[in-house]
Amino acid sequence: MPRDDDLVVRGNNSWGIPDYAWPACEDWNHYVDACKCFGIHPITVTKQPTTTTLTVTAPNAVTTTVSTFTTTTTNTIPVTATTSATFTAIVEDIASATVTFVVTVTSTATVITTTTTPTVTSTQSCKATGVPFRITAQVSGDKTYLTDVGGALLQWFTFGNPNDPANVATSTFVLDNDGLLELVPAGGPDIVQFIDVNTGTPTEQVFSINQDIVEGTPGLVRVKGCVDATTNIVTLSAAGRSNILACNGFPFLSTGDGSERGLGCVTLTPLAEDPPV
């Protein structure tokens, strides 16, 4: 087969036949036939893609989702074959000619690159359930606590406010086996936290009430929680609402910022704190 530097046009040699073959080969087809006599064939180089499974372990992770991805490396592979032989070619205007050919064939195989970047999603690492904690956050620069003030109401209260009853700033919560928020039982019925989605608004107030009432009333959805094992950040969610707000001092969960309520809501990042001894 022709080398790159042989692909030139000389006289009627419009097929790029190299000089050493031109006396014996009148056209490109003769030259190709001559190459075939030497057993020179196209060289195919195939590099298969490899599939790798990436395993990621997050410290204290509850769940880790790992994707399997495929990556293919791009390589340009030069392949050179050289052969030599003697043959007799019958061509027009020349009775016979004995020519010795030394044919060098260089082939390049290119493998296309295809790379898929794996997506690794690791869920939040939560502390064990059943451990009591208080929920505190900064509201207008003051350290406040999420507090059950009675009458099904929760409120963000500043610790030590002299106008609060003695038990106001000491509400302690716990997550049950399903990760649902409730007050630490005090000998009575379980008091759980919920939102009422019957109104259908993006921002709903969080209330406290007996568990059996919540479970028996359509549209009341219990609040699910998590205390991050590393940062102690508290996350709360119910019916797709997970932004924790303080609106006029009351706790709300929202899919936004609560502006549709017109209550001067602020977004909070609460922390879990050990209850007083």
Side-chain angles (χ1 to χ4, degrees):
M1 301 298 292
R3 296 183 302 242
D4 290 343
D5 55 358
D6 291 324
L7 296 179
V8 297
V9 178
R10 296 181 178 87
N12 292 326
N13 181 9
S14 60
W15 303 281
I17 301 172
D19 290 342
Y20 60 76
W22 181 246
C25 299
E26 68 172 351
D27 57 29
W28 178 257
N29 290 333
H30 280 94
Y31 179 59
V32 171
D33 289 341
C35 290
K36 290 180 179 179
C37 292
F38 301 123
I40 299 172
H41 302 285
I43 299 170
T44 301
V45 178
T46 302
K47 185 170 182 179
Q48 297 296 332
T50 58
T51 300
T52 305
T53 299
L54 176 65
T55 302
V56 176
T57 302
N60 301 314
V62 175
T63 303
T64 301
T65 302
V66 182
S67 63
T68 299
F69 65 101
T70 299
T71 179
T72 304
T73 304
T74 298
N75 286 310
T76 300
I77 308 168
V79 181
T80 302
T82 302
T83 186
S84 175
T86 300
F87 74 101
T88 299
I90 305 300
V91 295
E92 186 179 347
D93 297 330
I94 301 178
S96 67
T98 299
V99 182
T100 298
F101 283 88
V102 176
V103 181
T104 300
V105 180
T106 300
S107 177
T108 299
T110 301
V111 181
I112 304 249
T113 297
T114 303
T115 301
T116 302
T117 302
T119 300
V120 181
T121 303
S122 182
T123 60
Q124 185 179 24
S125 176
C126 302
K127 285 187 176 181
T129 59
V131 179
F133 58 93
R134 295 193 297 179
I135 301 176
T136 179
Q138 293 289 326
V139 179
S140 300
D142 296 324
K143 185 176 183 179
T144 62
Y145 290 84
L146 186 61
T147 306
D148 188 306
V149 295
L153 290 177
L154 289 166
Q155 196 166 351
W156 292 102
F157 261 106
T158 301
F159 182 77
N161 187 328
N163 297 321
D164 297 337
N167 66 339
V168 162
T170 58
S171 291
T172 301
F173 298 88
V174 69
L175 299 173
D176 67 12
N177 292 334
D178 296 320
L180 298 173
L181 191 67
E182 63 181 42
L183 283 175
V184 172
D190 289 342
I191 304 298
V192 301
Q193 287 64 57
F194 69 95
I195 64 172
D196 183 353
V197 298
N198 289 306
T199 62
T201 58
T203 305
E204 297 289 358
Q205 186 170 352
V206 180
F207 296 96
S208 283
I209 205 168
N210 294 356
Q211 181 176 346
D212 57 350
I213 295 177
V214 174
E215 294 176 348
T217 305
L220 303 189
V221 181
R222 289 190 61 181
V223 174
K224 189 176 181 66
C226 172
V227 178
D228 189 273
T230 303
T231 63
N232 282 333
I233 291 176
V234 176
T235 55
L236 302 174
S237 63
R241 297 161 175 82
S242 58
N243 295 337
I244 304 172
L245 309 177
C247 303
N248 283 5
F250 294 97
F252 283 75
L253 291 178
S254 177
T255 57
D257 59 8
S259 56
E260 81 281 2
R261 286 279 190 166
L263 299 176
C265 300
V266 293
T267 304
L268 305 179
T269 303
L271 298 174
E273 183 180 277
D274 291 337
V277 179

